[in-house]
Amino acid sequence: MNAEDNVKQIELYTLVQQEESDIHKYRTDEPGPPIPEKDGEPQFTKRQIIKNVLVVSIAFVVLFISYGSMANLQSSLNMESGVGSGSLAVIYAAMIISCLFVPSFLIAHIGCKWSIVLSITGYIAYMVANFYPVWATMVPASILIGLGAGPLWSAKCTYLTTLGVWYARMTGQSEDAIINRFFGVFFMFFQSYQIWGNIIIFSIFSSSSSTASNTSDTSVPEQRICGARFCPSQIAASNNTNLERPVDTKIYILCGVFVTCAVSGMFIIILFLDRMKLVKEDQQTKRVSPRVLMASIKHLITSRYQILLVPLTVYSGIEQALIGGDFTRSFITCTLGIHYVGYIMICYGVVDAFCSFLFGQLVKSVGHIPFFVLAFVLHGSCQIVFLLWDPDSNSLYVFYVIAGFWGMGDAVVQTQINALYGLLFKDNMESGFANYRLWESVGFIIQYAYNDYLCTSTKLHISLAILITGMFGYATVEVLHRRENNSKMLGDTRNDITVTTA
């Protein structure tokens, strides 16, 4: 880090110290989770803070080995009647309701730790439902997981951001840098679920007789229309054996392993995560109230930063659903077979995990802007390639290259948007992160809702348009935030000069 960066961090830290009494307080006329005891003073030692960051990170990676990997398979595994993609759309629709009503209520009653534990039970139910994936089992399980996802992520984000603020105070470092570092560590672990989950998928589905016996008419030659030209309505007519469902035995083994992982994640939180003591000052948070909805709407309306970040946050959901739904089905499964999904997505997971950690470390030196530019170039280029590329099983390396580049871009989107929300809305974290999950959920819903109705090329054009709009909004936020900081520093300098003169 050069001298100029050190000066900037000192200036930022000075501003933070001037506003220290406001950090982690919630206005009494707005709902929000209870604030930490002693006006936000650290409750843990530095060693305990690091331990808790690792516990949260490990628990989430173990949990999402099951859910994240199963979600990547839904569009390929449960294509019948659209139950796979449909269940994912239901999850994120329920998550929107959850983000608006549940987090404050739940966190106020049982705290961040037990909110995470209770939320994980919905994920376990969804894994169990995949033993018999029909609408009657998948929809209730999807609603449970959606209702739990809001408090799960709000509690996690609030917990990590609070730890970051405490650690910054204890070490005299910039809050932005520490929060970025903690989220970078978290997403390094979190994104590695792609590695472990896909190793499990590949190991189970790569063995012989992984697909059901072929009942198709072998006298009719296969017609593989894959890539951007793939259309769900043409699956039956294509006679593509790669799109056939694997045998039930292997699916049952997969579901059993994933249920075990989800249960393990829950017990890691129960046994090893320290409880963050809270002061329940706002009685409105003790009941489900429309004031939570009004506070989120008020935050959206009154915060120009939030309004400008909506398209980029929506894209965060779309790009994850695109790689997990369309890339895995339209490109990998259609061209190579479902057993290659795990193999290729391992590359995606490795790059995503490594870059999540690396970018979290580098952002303190170069800032957010270069990384968002990198994400725009990577994802924009990949989507153009998707539109022009005719996937071929003889060009296997291309699948890995695209998966790696997409993982690099996703590392930026996930770590930097989370950290940006933590920085911009640190005086109202609950409403900020609730809006983050809400609009990200909208992105997932958009992508999964039309997943079985639109051709892949149409979905790619929509994704590109939202990416461009989102990056324009982010650029505007950077300009406004820099102007605001410069104005504050200029005002502080004038005040110091006035005091010295007096």
Side-chain angles (χ1 to χ4, degrees):
M1 184 181 295
N2 56 39
E4 182 180 356
D5 290 327
N6 281 324
V7 171
K8 289 180 179 178
Q9 286 210 359
I10 292 171
E11 291 173 343
L12 177 59
Y13 183 70
T14 301
L15 291 172
V16 169
Q17 292 287 46
Q18 291 171 348
E19 298 176 352
E20 184 174 6
S21 62
D22 294 326
I23 293 175
H24 292 300
K25 290 183 179 179
Y26 293 84
R27 292 172 51 183
T28 57
D29 61 333
E30 293 183 355
I35 61 176
E37 275 188 344
K38 298 182 181 179
D39 197 23
E41 289 300 316
Q43 299 171 16
F44 309 138
T45 64
K46 288 189 288 185
R47 179 175 295 182
Q48 287 176 311
I49 289 175
I50 297 301
K51 186 266 290 185
N52 286 317
V53 171
L54 293 176
V55 168
V56 171
S57 302
I58 293 171
F60 269 68
V61 72
V62 173
L63 172 63
F64 274 80
I65 283 174
S66 59
Y67 170 70
S69 302
M70 184 62 78
N72 285 343
L73 286 176
Q74 286 300 319
S75 62
S76 300
L77 195 62
N78 297 320
M79 288 186 285
E80 186 175 353
S81 302
V83 67
S85 298
S87 68
L88 295 174
V90 171
I91 287 174
Y92 292 101
M95 188 187 292
I96 290 180
I97 299 174
S98 173
C99 288
L100 294 175
F101 294 100
V102 181
S104 296
F105 168 78
L106 197 61
I107 294 173
H109 279 79
I110 61 178
C112 291
K113 172 179 178 175
W114 294 107
S115 294
I116 293 173
V117 171
L118 184 60
S119 299
I120 291 176
T121 59
Y123 288 78
I124 297 173
Y126 186 77
M127 294 302 105
V128 173
N130 275 274
F131 280 99
Y132 187 62
V134 295
W135 286 105
T137 59
M138 295 293 281
V139 170
S142 298
I143 292 173
L144 285 177
I145 199 173
L147 292 177
L152 176 80
W153 287 96
S154 291
K156 183 274 298 181
C157 289
T158 301
Y159 195 94
L160 282 185
T161 303
T162 302
L163 292 180
V165 172
W166 288 348
Y167 195 84
R169 292 180 182 178
M170 296 167 72
T171 60
Q173 300 182 60
S174 162
E175 289 184 10
D176 186 26
I178 297 299
I179 292 171
N180 267 287
R181 187 179 303 168
F182 281 4
F183 275 108
V185 170
F186 172 82
F187 279 104
M188 178 192 69
F189 280 92
F190 178 76
Q191 295 297 353
S192 71
Y193 83 80
Q194 297 279 358
I195 304 171
W196 317 119
N198 286 307
I199 287 175
I200 294 171
I201 293 171
F202 179 73
S203 299
I204 293 174
F205 287 154
S206 63
S207 59
S208 60
S209 302
S210 62
T211 58
S213 57
N214 185 12
T215 58
S216 304
D217 185 358
T218 56
S219 63
V220 180
E222 286 189 353
Q223 300 177 25
R224 296 182 181 178
I225 303 175
C226 304
R229 296 184 298 129
F230 179 89
C231 293
S233 61
Q234 300 174 358
I235 292 177
S238 68
N239 194 33
N240 186 348
T241 56
N242 283 339
L243 298 174
E244 291 184 356
R245 179 181 168 87
V247 294
D248 288 343
T249 302
K250 293 187 177 295
I251 295 175
Y252 295 156
I253 294 173
L254 184 71
C255 291
V257 173
F258 285 167
V259 169
T260 302
C261 290
V263 173
S264 300
M266 180 177 68
F267 277 101
I268 289 173
I269 294 292
I270 292 174
L271 297 176
F272 301 110
L273 188 68
D274 293 327
R275 184 172 179 268
M276 187 178 289
K277 297 179 182 179
L278 303 173
V279 177
K280 301 177 177 61
E281 293 183 347
D282 188 356
Q283 298 299 318
Q284 292 295 329
T285 62
K286 294 185 178 181
R287 65 177 185 272
V288 177
S289 169
R291 292 187 64 195
V292 178
L293 172 62
M294 299 307 297
S296 297
I297 294 176
K298 183 177 180 180
H299 174 77
L300 175 64
I301 295 175
T302 58
S303 174
R304 57 182 179 177
Y305 293 151
Q306 181 63 72
I307 294 173
L308 290 167
L309 288 175
V310 165
L312 185 60
T313 311
V314 170
Y315 177 76
S316 174
I318 286 179
E319 63 93 4
Q320 293 177 75
L322 186 68
I323 193 69
D326 284 284
F327 181 63
T328 55
R329 180 173 68 171
S330 304
F331 291 85
I332 301 175
T333 300
C334 182
T335 307
L336 305 171
I338 194 172
H339 56 286
Y340 269 97
V341 171
Y343 207 41
I344 293 171
M345 293 299 283
I346 289 174
C347 179
Y348 167 81
V350 169
V351 175
D352 205 332
F354 174 75
C355 290
S356 292
F357 176 76
L358 179 64
F359 295 163
Q361 299 298 311
L362 293 178
V363 69
K364 61 185 178 182
S365 300
V366 299
H368 296 286
I369 296 177
F371 292 111
F372 277 109
V373 172
L374 176 64
F376 176 72
V377 171
L378 289 172
H379 278 190
S381 300
C382 284
Q383 291 177 71
I384 292 173
V385 171
F386 283 154
L387 288 168
L388 302 177
W389 177 41
D390 187 10
D392 183 358
S393 59
N394 294 323
S395 301
L396 192 59
Y397 71 94
V398 179
F399 291 88
Y400 293 99
V401 171
I402 291 178
F405 282 146
W406 196 275
M408 187 181 297
D410 180 71
V412 174
V413 172
Q414 298 307 312
T415 58
Q416 300 308 309
I417 293 181
N418 269 276
L420 191 61
Y421 268 73
L423 173 65
L424 295 175
F425 309 126
K426 61 190 174 189
D427 59 340
N428 195 7
M429 287 191 298
E430 190 271 341
S431 293
F433 282 122
N435 268 272
Y436 168 72
R437 299 308 304 181
L438 187 154
W439 292 110
E440 185 183 49
S441 298
V442 169
F444 278 106
I445 292 171
I446 291 172
Q447 191 67 24
Y448 286 130
Y450 57 48
N451 193 59
D452 290 310
Y453 300 97
L454 299 182
C455 295
T456 302
S457 59
T458 303
K459 289 178 276 189
L460 286 169
H461 283 108
I462 294 173
S463 176
L464 270 171
I466 296 177
L467 170 62
I468 294 171
T469 305
M471 286 299 173
F472 178 80
Y474 161 71
T476 306
V477 167
E478 281 288 352
V479 171
L480 294 175
H481 191 243
R482 284 171 180 265
R483 287 179 179 175
E484 183 177 315
N485 282 341
N486 290 337
S487 297
K488 286 182 179 179
M489 286 188 285
L490 181 60
D492 292 340
T493 301
R494 289 175 177 174
N495 290 336
D496 291 340
I497 294 175
T498 301
V499 172
T500 303
T501 303

